């Protein structure tokens, strides 16, 4: 399936709360992604787009991915990596950014990125 | 700035674990448990995968993996407990359907649960050495449903009953069967084997045992085999539809064992429909079915082969030993060929050209052909019949084909030297009386014999052909050497110079030739000895023939084709009208037996009686008188008189030939013994016998007693000596 989905980023003011579902999103950022490309690199995205739960039951509706506002650059890096297989220069030079990316890659099981880091 | 922020976040991340709400794990698990219940209730489409994944991820990340896992187990157990109650409670016929539907749902739900707990599967499960969610789900299903006491028994019983129903011709839901059996397979090979495959095999064995008992009582062999074959295809088909491949093989084995292997003897030996019947009636379809089926079980083909061999030997024995049937040699051989053709065809069309069957056929023929000591003679006579000209207009290819077949029979003969002896006689007769139909066919057969038995076997036969050719040249030379005037005045004398040894010759019994002939003979002798010094020429009057021009009482002119003896007798009547038996015997000096036969053919055969005999009777007696039959008439100009065609030998002749064969064998055996001893120097008796037998096998089977006699004779002549210590050992002296 090659349709485009928009991805909403929930940004939270309180980074200590690990469960952001009760808080309203502080910011929503739509990102157009190709579900097939994401699914190919990450089992998480694969199941997200296909296992029959809310996100995949209505193919055209946007899928939201709530994160801390601090995680936004990391997530964008990860998406970049998934699409291109490489990382932008600033990130590779920044050990903290890399560390964060490693955590995110582990969470979403982007194995190739974990080994890349 | 952003670096600074992240740094802070990281540090805080370590801290804030302590700041987690006190009932964080409990609360999070409740969310997940609720979700799992919703999944079980088919309400998954309302759940957010992302949220659940994140919750499970966070639980594992915050070291609550153990809790997550054990709570999951509890929840699943609870669900399965309810499920088993429900499945147990289903009514009869819907049991399988329900079970299958629950299984499908369960699998789907398990998949979703696994998805949301993916992170736990990946990180917590391997490190804590617990089964992953999927395996866990299957194991629990096995414990609560598939192998729970009530359901397990009911499931096995239902499946087996459905298969039995299908075997008895009912239509069952194969798709459902496939799904349920697939479930057992997915639960692990041991579940499939223990809970289903093993009971199925023993039930099938029981079923087919009963069926084969019943069928064998009421069906004939052919129908029974058809049934067995159908059952085999059914089981193969069944396996391909809903069983494991290995189970299909096992079921085929069951059918093979219960329906075929256990009844083989009874099937083949069945009267009126068994193997013997099929062979006799050329039932290719039935035979080939039997071959295919029996091929699948151990000892199956051996059983067929043994019965076939026994049958061929039995019928063959009847064929060759029945005195009625061996009256006509040509018919006799024809029957053998027909029998051979019949079985060749059976083996090629029903027995897959099986080499072992061909061998069995060959050995059977070898066995029974040699039961009749006259087989070699008859085969030679058969060839003679085929190669003699004038009898039938046969095409060359046909003759070739017949000869090839005869060669097959020849191969079966043990006493090939006896065949050679007869063949030589018959060939000599064909050549000398000019009756050989085709030089090519004759040569072709000799080439065949040569390839079969080697140069030695045919050298004398080839010598006969050489003699025929050189004789033509000699005759040309002779005619050229005679003054033309002489040639016109004297009777034509075609001479065939035969090498002694190459030709089957009886002891020379020279008769008195008519003076006209005698004179020409002398001239030829002078010519021949003139060109070939140091040779001896003697006349074989018993083998020649002559054409006579005769004028009878009323002027009827005929040309008589007669033997040399007959010619001698008839020529006497040129000078006198009446002659007594005594007169003729004195004048011609033909041996009495031959003379009687010759007179009989001249005087007693209706239509060919050029002589009159007094008194009229069938037999020739010493007191009989003969005169020319002046009223002789025939619608043919050329009259052929009583040529003694190649015939089956009479009893004394047979004895004589036999004796000659035995005589000829002696030097061959001796030569073999000497050859062996020359290379071995010392050898014991049994080994010599064995080796001699082996060496001479291609020609005949030497009798051990005869070999012993030959050894003794060689010892007498000091070729060998007995060992001084071990009397069984022989030593070669040279």
């Amino acid at each position: 399936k090659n349709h485009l989905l928009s991805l909403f980023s929930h940004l939270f003011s309180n980074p200590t709360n690990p469960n952001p579902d009760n808080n309203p999103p502080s910011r929503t950022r739509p990102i157009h992604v190709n579900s097939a490309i994401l699914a190919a690199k990450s089992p998480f995205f694969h199941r997200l787009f296909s296992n029959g739960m809310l996100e995949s039951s209505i193919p055209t509706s946007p899928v939201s991915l709530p994160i801390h506002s601090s995680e936004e650059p990391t997530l964008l890096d990860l998406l970049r990596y998934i699409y291109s297989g490489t990382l932008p220069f600033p990130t590779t030079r920044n050990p903290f950014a890399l560390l964060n990316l490693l955590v995110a890659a582990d969470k979403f099981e982007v194995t190739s990125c974990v080994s890349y880091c | 700035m952003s670096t600074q922020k992240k740094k802070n976040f990281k540090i805080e991340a370590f801290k804030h674990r302590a700041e987690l709400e006190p009932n964080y794990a409990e609360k999070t698990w409740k969310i997940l448990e609720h979700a799992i219940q919703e999944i079980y209730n088919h309400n998954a489409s309302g759940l957010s995968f992302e949220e659940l994944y994140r919750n499970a991820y966070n639980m594992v990340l915050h070291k609550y993996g153990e809790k997550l896992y054990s709570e999951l187990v509890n929840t699943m157990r609870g669900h399965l407990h309810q499920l088993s109650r429900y499945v147990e409670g289903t009514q009869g016929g819907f049991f399988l359907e329900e079970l299958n539907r629950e299984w499908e749902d369960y699998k789907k739900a398990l998949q979703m649960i696994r998805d949301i707990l993916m992170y736990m599967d990946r990180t917590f499960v391997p490190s804590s050495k617990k089964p992953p969610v999927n395996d866990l789900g299957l194991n629990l299903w096995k414990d609560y449903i598939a192998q729970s006491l009530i359901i397990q028994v009911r499931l096995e019983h239902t499946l087996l009953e459905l298969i039995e129903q299908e075997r008895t011709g009912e239509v069952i839901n194969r798709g459902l069967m496939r799904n349920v059996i697939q479930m057992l397979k997915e639960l692990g090979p041991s579940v499939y084997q223990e809970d289903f495959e093993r009971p199925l095999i023993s039930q099938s064995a029981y079923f087919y045992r009963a069926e084969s008992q019943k069928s064998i009582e009421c069906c004939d062999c052919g129908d029974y085999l058809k049934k067995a074959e159908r059952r085999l295809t059914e089981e193969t088909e069944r396996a391909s539809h809903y069983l494991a491949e290995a189970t299909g093989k096992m079921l085929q084995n069951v059918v093979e064992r219960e329906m075929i292997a256990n009844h083989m003897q009874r099937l083949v030996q069945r009267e009126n429909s068994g193997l013997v019947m099929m062979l006799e009636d050329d039932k290719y379809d039935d035979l080939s079915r039997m071959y295919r089926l029996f091929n699948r079980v151990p000892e199956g083909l051996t059983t067929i082969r043994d019965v076939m061999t026994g049958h061929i030997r039995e019928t063959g024995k009847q064929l060759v030993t029945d005195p009625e049937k061996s009256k006509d040699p040509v018919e006799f051989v024809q029957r053998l060929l027909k029998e051979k053709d019949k079985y060749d065809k059976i083996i090629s069309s029903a027995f897959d050209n099986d080499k072992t069957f061909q061998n069995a056929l060959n050995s059977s023929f070898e066995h029974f052909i040699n039961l009749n000591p006259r087989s070699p003679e008859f085969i030679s006579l058969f060839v003679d019949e085929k190669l003699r000209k004038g009898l039938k207009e046969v095409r060359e290819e046909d003759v070739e084909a017949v000869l090839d077949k005869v060669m097959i029979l020849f191969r079966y003969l043990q006493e090939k030297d006896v065949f050679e002896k007869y063949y030589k006689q018959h060939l000599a007769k064909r050549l000398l009386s000019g009756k050989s139909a085709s030089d090519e066919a004759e040569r072709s057969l000799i080439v065949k014999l040569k390839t079969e038995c080697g140069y030695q076997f045919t050298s004398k036969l080839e010598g006969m052909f050489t003699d025929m050719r050189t004789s033509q040249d000699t005759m040309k030379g002779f005619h050229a050497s005679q003054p033309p005037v002489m040639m016109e005045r004297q009777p034509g004398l075609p001479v065939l110079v035969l090498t002694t040894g190459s030709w089957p010759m009886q002891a020379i019994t020279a008769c008195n030739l008519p003076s006209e002939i005698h004179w020409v003979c002398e001239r030829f002798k002078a010519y021949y000895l003139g060109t070939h010094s140091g040779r001896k020429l003697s006349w074989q009057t018993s083998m020649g023939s002559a054409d006579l021009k005769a004028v009878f009482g009323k002027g009827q002119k005929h040309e008589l084709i007669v033997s040399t003896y007959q010619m001698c007798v008839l020529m006497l009547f040129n000078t006198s009208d009446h002659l007594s038996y005594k007169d003729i015997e004195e004048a011609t000096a033909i041996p009495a037996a031959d003379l009687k036969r010759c007179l009989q053919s001249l005087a007693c055969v209706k239509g060919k009686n050029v002589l009159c005999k007094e008194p009229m009777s069938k037999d020739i007696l010493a007191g009989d008188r003969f005169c020319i039959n002046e009223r002789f008439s025939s619608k043919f100009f050329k009259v052929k008189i009583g040529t003694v065609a190649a015939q089956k030998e009479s009893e004394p002749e047979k004895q004589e030939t036999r004796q000659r064969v035995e005589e000829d064998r002696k030097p061959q055996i001796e030569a073999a013994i000497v050859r062996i001893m020359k290379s071995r120097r010392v050898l014991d008796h049994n080994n010599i016998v064995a080796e001699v037998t082996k060496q001479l096998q291609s020609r005949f089977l030497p009798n051990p007693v005869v070999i012993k006699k030959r050894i003794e004779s060689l010892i007498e002549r000091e070729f060998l000596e007995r060992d001084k210590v071990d009397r069984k050992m022989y030593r070669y002296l040279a």
Side-chain angles (χ1 to χ4, degrees):
Chain A
K1 285 180 186 171
N2 238 355
H3 55 237
L4 288 167
L5 298 171
S6 52
L7 187 80
F8 283 74
S9 303
H10 294 241
L11 300 161
F12 305 104
S13 51
N14 177 11
T16 57
N17 187 350
N19 191 0
D21 297 327
N22 306 327
N23 307 38
S26 60
R27 198 159 70 90
T28 298
R29 177 175 184 159
I31 306 170
H32 292 269
V33 296
N34 183 310
S35 60
I37 293 176
L38 263 56
K41 294 275 181 177
S42 153
F44 168 83
F45 283 111
H46 174 61
R47 303 313 299 172
L48 180 73
F49 294 128
S50 70
N51 89 333
M53 288 187 180
L54 186 66
E55 290 87 345
S56 48
S57 51
I58 310 162
T60 48
S61 76
V63 172
S64 66
L65 196 64
I67 50 168
H68 287 277
S69 47
S70 60
E71 290 174 323
E72 194 182 332
T74 307
L75 204 71
L76 290 176
D77 275 345
L78 184 65
L79 288 176
R80 222 169 266 135
Y81 174 80
I82 288 174
Y83 270 85
S84 64
T86 55
L87 290 168
F89 184 61
T91 313
T92 51
R93 243 191 23 182
N94 182 341
F96 294 109
L98 273 181
L99 191 61
N100 286 335
L101 181 64
L102 181 62
V103 172
D106 176 58
K107 177 177 175 181
F108 300 124
E109 211 180 336
V110 189
T111 335
S112 55
C113 184
V114 173
S115 46
Y116 188 90
C117 290
Chain B
M1 168 66 197
S2 89
T3 320
Q4 187 64 34
K5 216 177 178 183
K6 264 171 200 160
K7 204 174 179 180
N8 289 340
F9 167 72
K10 272 295 145 193
I11 294 163
E12 275 179 313
F14 281 105
K15 275 186 202 161
H16 74 224
R17 195 140 47 97
E19 294 166 23
L20 284 174
E21 300 167 49
N23 54 353
Y24 161 75
E26 203 52 50
K27 266 170 81 181
T28 315
W29 167 245
K30 280 284 172 256
I31 297 169
L32 288 170
E33 188 188 22
H34 172 74
I36 291 172
Q37 292 300 348
E38 288 294 286
I39 290 172
Y40 282 141
N41 293 331
H42 311 289
N43 287 331
S45 60
L47 301 167
S48 160
F49 172 72
E50 189 278 333
E51 182 196 337
L52 296 169
Y53 182 87
R54 179 154 39 83
N55 280 320
Y57 167 76
N58 282 330
M59 266 187 94
V60 175
L61 209 62
H62 293 104
K63 306 282 183 227
Y64 290 112
E66 181 66 47
K67 177 177 172 63
L68 180 60
Y69 196 89
S70 60
E71 291 285 7
L72 170 72
V73 173
N74 286 339
T75 310
M76 287 172 103
R77 280 185 195 277
H79 174 68
L80 280 166
H81 185 69
Q82 283 179 351
L83 216 56
S84 70
R85 281 287 144 75
Y86 173 72
V87 174
E88 278 167 24
T90 49
Q91 293 303 307
F94 295 107
F95 171 70
L96 271 195
E97 273 100 338
E98 283 303 323
L99 181 65
N100 182 41
R101 206 179 42 235
E102 291 303 339
W103 165 246
E104 297 293 335
D105 289 350
Y106 184 79
K107 264 204 314 191
K108 245 182 253 160
L110 185 62
Q111 174 72 32
M112 281 188 182
I113 296 169
R114 198 189 66 171
D115 287 347
I116 56 179
L117 300 179
M118 211 153 42
Y119 192 77
M120 179 188 81
D121 248 358
R122 187 153 54 88
T123 54
F124 171 74
V125 162
S127 62
S128 63
K129 301 211 165 58
K130 289 187 179 347
V133 176
N134 194 49
D135 294 4
L136 174 72
L138 293 181
N139 287 343
L140 290 174
W141 174 271
K142 193 164 77 181
D143 295 343
Y144 277 84
I145 310 281
Q147 291 190 329
S148 80
L149 205 57
I150 299 173
I151 298 177
Q152 186 185 19
V153 173
R154 193 165 165 193
L155 177 61
E156 178 193 318
H157 183 75
T158 313
L159 289 175
L160 295 188
E161 197 172 75
L162 282 170
I163 290 180
E164 178 143 351
Q165 276 175 14
E166 194 181 40
R167 282 191 182 130
T168 49
E170 285 173 45
V171 177
I172 64 165
N173 185 347
R174 284 183 158 181
L176 182 60
M177 290 293 278
R178 186 177 53 236
N179 291 343
V180 174
I181 288 165
Q182 181 61 34
M183 172 190 87
L184 294 175
K185 280 192 229 163
E186 277 174 41
L187 292 178
S190 70
V191 178
Y192 173 78
Q193 282 162 11
E194 297 296 322
D195 292 359
F196 173 65
E197 192 180 59
R198 193 176 296 171
L200 172 65
I201 297 301
S202 62
Q203 179 236 26
S204 305
Y206 182 78
F207 177 85
Y208 283 117
R209 194 170 312 140
E211 172 164 294
S212 64
Q213 294 288 358
K214 215 171 79 193
S215 304
I216 204 157
E217 294 301 334
C218 59
C219 299
D220 69 17
C221 181
D223 289 344
Y224 182 91
L225 290 177
K226 266 183 212 147
K227 233 177 214 179
E229 192 176 47
R230 204 167 51 230
R231 282 302 192 188
L232 271 176
T233 10
E234 272 174 25
E235 290 302 337
T236 317
E237 198 202 9
R238 190 180 339 280
S240 75
H241 276 104
Y242 56 78
L243 298 175
E245 204 179 322
T247 318
K249 290 249 163 58
M250 290 161 100
L251 284 176
Q252 284 178 20
N253 284 337
V254 167
V255 178
E256 284 158 10
R257 190 180 61 239
E258 296 298 337
M259 295 201 72
I260 301 163
N262 289 350
H263 299 285
M264 272 195 306
Q265 288 300 332
R266 212 168 147 189
L267 282 171
V268 292
Q269 269 150 16
R270 188 133 269 207
E271 267 174 55
N272 301 325
S273 75
L275 180 54
V276 169
M277 227 8 218
M278 291 179 184
L279 290 173
E280 271 177 4
D281 296 349
D282 296 325
K283 295 208 160 158
Y284 299 124
D285 286 347
D286 285 344
L287 286 169
S288 117
R289 184 172 300 113
M290 182 180 267
Y291 178 86
R292 283 197 305 273
L293 292 175
F294 279 41
N295 197 8
R296 310 176 72 115
V297 302
E299 301 293 306
L301 292 190
T302 324
T303 312
I304 300 186
R305 212 163 43 230
D306 288 351
V307 172
M308 183 187 85
T309 310
H311 178 66
I312 298 177
R313 285 185 184 207
E314 194 44 47
T315 46
K317 190 178 165 192
Q318 279 167 16
L319 204 71
V320 297
T321 50
D322 186 347
E324 271 306 303
K325 283 180 177 153
S326 48
K327 258 188 184 158
D328 182 350
V330 177
E331 189 72 28
F332 175 89
V333 176
Q334 203 89 58
R335 263 203 206 95
L336 289 181
L337 288 177
K338 222 175 94 192
E339 192 80 354
K340 177 77 169 66
D341 275 350
K342 175 189 166 83
Y343 283 101
D344 276 344
K345 189 139 182 257
I346 287 177
I347 287 174
S348 71
S349 55
F351 294 157
D352 196 24
N353 262 329
D354 193 317
K355 272 270 175 305
T356 58
F357 278 68
Q358 285 170 356
N359 291 343
L361 174 68
N362 289 340
S363 78
S364 308
F365 264 79
E366 197 176 319
H367 168 79
F368 75 70
I369 282 187
N370 290 303
L371 286 179
N372 188 338
R374 307 194 66 176
S375 292
E377 182 190 348
F378 289 172
I379 293 174
S380 174
L381 280 168
F382 180 80
V383 177
D384 185 59
E385 164 93 9
K386 291 294 166 202
L387 292 178
R388 219 152 4 115
K389 84 170 139 197
L391 283 166
K392 254 179 260 158
E393 287 304 318
V394 247
R395 283 183 308 144
E396 222 161 88
E397 308 91 81
D398 294 345
V399 175
E400 246 339 269
V402 170
L403 293 185
D404 277 332
K405 282 183 188 168
V406 168
M407 282 310 295
I408 294 169
L409 293 184
F410 169 75
R411 245 167 253 156
Y412 297 139
L413 291 177
Q414 270 162 7
E415 298 185 304
K416 294 192 171 59
D417 58 339
V418 178
F419 174 84
E420 186 200 0
K421 196 120 244 157
Y422 283 108
Y423 189 75
K424 218 155 100 179
Q425 274 176 24
H426 297 149
L427 176 64
K429 267 182 196 155
R430 283 203 296 281
L431 291 178
L432 293 182
S433 56
K435 276 193 192 123
S436 172
S438 134
D439 223 34
E440 225 162 279
E442 295 278 7
R443 266 169 208 292
S444 140
L445 187 72
I446 286 181
V447 169
K448 286 188 214 311
L449 289 171
K450 198 174 182 172
T451 38
E452 197 64 37
C453 300
Y455 165 77
Q456 217 190 352
F457 193 85
T458 53
S459 62
K460 285 181 180 171
L461 301 179
E462 282 175 290
M464 289 161 78
F465 280 99
T466 319
D467 282 350
M468 294 299 285
R469 253 197 323 270
T470 37
S471 293
Q472 277 178 7
D473 296 341
T474 313
M475 280 318 290
K476 267 187 208 143
F478 173 60
H479 285 308
S481 73
Q482 300 300 307
V485 193
M486 298 278 271
M487 294 302 291
E488 278 166 27
R489 289 223 326 264
Q490 70 197 23
L493 178 77
V495 180
L496 294 170
V497 184
L498 314 178
T499 315
T500 321
S502 293
W503 296 74
M505 241 141 354
Q506 275 110 34
I508 297 160
T509 46
C511 69
N512 296 337
L513 292 168
S515 55
E516 299 92 327
I517 303 294
H518 189 70
W519 188 71
V520 191
C521 285
E522 286 306 317
R523 287 192 68 91
F524 178 79
K525 198 167 176 177
Y527 165 79
Y528 186 78
L529 294 179
T531 50
H532 301 83
S533 59
R535 290 198 185 174
K536 204 178 151 221
L537 205 57
S538 53
W539 299 98
Q540 285 284 333
T541 47
S542 59
M543 292 166 120
S545 66
D547 296 356
L548 293 181
K549 288 196 174 114
V551 184
F552 292 93
K554 292 176 188 156
Q556 4 13 352
K557 278 187 184 168
H558 286 290
E559 201 171 300
L560 305 177
I561 302 165
V562 295
S563 73
T564 308
Y565 285 152
Q566 287 165 337
M567 172 198 73
C568 294
V569 173
L570 289 177
M571 290 297 274
L572 292 180
F573 289 94
N574 273 345
T575 46
S576 47
D577 291 339
H578 288 81
L579 285 169
S580 71
Y581 176 80
K582 274 264 172 300
D583 297 335
I584 297 173
E585 191 177 23
E586 264 169 41
T588 58
I590 298 171
D594 288 331
L595 180 60
K596 277 186 182 169
R597 223 185 303 167
C598 141
L599 284 170
Q600 214 166 8
S601 62
L602 288 170
C604 305
V605 182
K606 212 170 169 210
K608 304 205 166 161
N609 48 341
V610 288
L611 292 184
C612 286
K613 184 169 90 80
E614 276 174 47
M616 286 288 282
S617 71
K618 281 260 163 198
D619 295 312
I620 307 293
L621 297 169
D624 289 349
R625 292 181 61 80
F626 298 90
C627 66
I628 290 288
N629 177 9
E630 295 295 353
R631 281 167 303 173
F632 174 80
S633 72
S634 170
K635 50 189 167 172
F636 303 108
F637 176 66
K638 280 191 177 186
V639 180
K640 198 168 172 185
I641 291 182
T643 38
V644 190
Q647 264 169 2
K648 217 170 64 165
E649 281 190 319
S650 63
E651 201 54 37
E653 279 175 321
K654 204 174 89 187
Q655 295 289 337
E656 200 187 307
T657 313
R658 187 82 228 165
Q659 216 164 7
R660 255 187 294 143
V661 169
E662 295 292 347
E663 271 319 304
D664 282 358
R665 279 179 188 182
K666 282 181 190 169
Q668 289 185 41
I669 295 174
E670 283 180 2
I673 295 172
V674 170
R675 266 199 305 276
I676 291 160
M677 290 309 290
K678 210 168 183 173
S679 60
R680 298 299 196 86
R681 315 307 293 187
V682 181
L683 203 63
D684 69 300
H685 182 81
N686 288 345
N687 271 322
I688 294 187
V689 173
E691 293 229 8
V692 168
T693 313
K694 207 173 124 202
Q695 277 206 4
L696 296 175
Q697 218 166 25
S698 68
R699 295 175 57 76
F700 59 94
L701 268 189
N703 185 343
V705 181
V706 178
I707 299 178
K708 187 157 185 275
K709 277 202 184 128
R710 288 302 99 208
I711 293 175
E712 277 158 11
S713 154
L714 285 170
I715 290 174
E716 254 168 51
R717 283 178 281 158
E718 296 185 336
F719 280 98
L720 306 176
E721 67 169 8
R722 278 185 200 275
D723 192 275
K724 304 235 163 26
V725 191
D726 186 352
R727 303 299 285 168
K728 282 223 154 138
M729 299 293 277
Y730 301 109
R731 199 178 290 285
Y732 181 70
L733 301 171

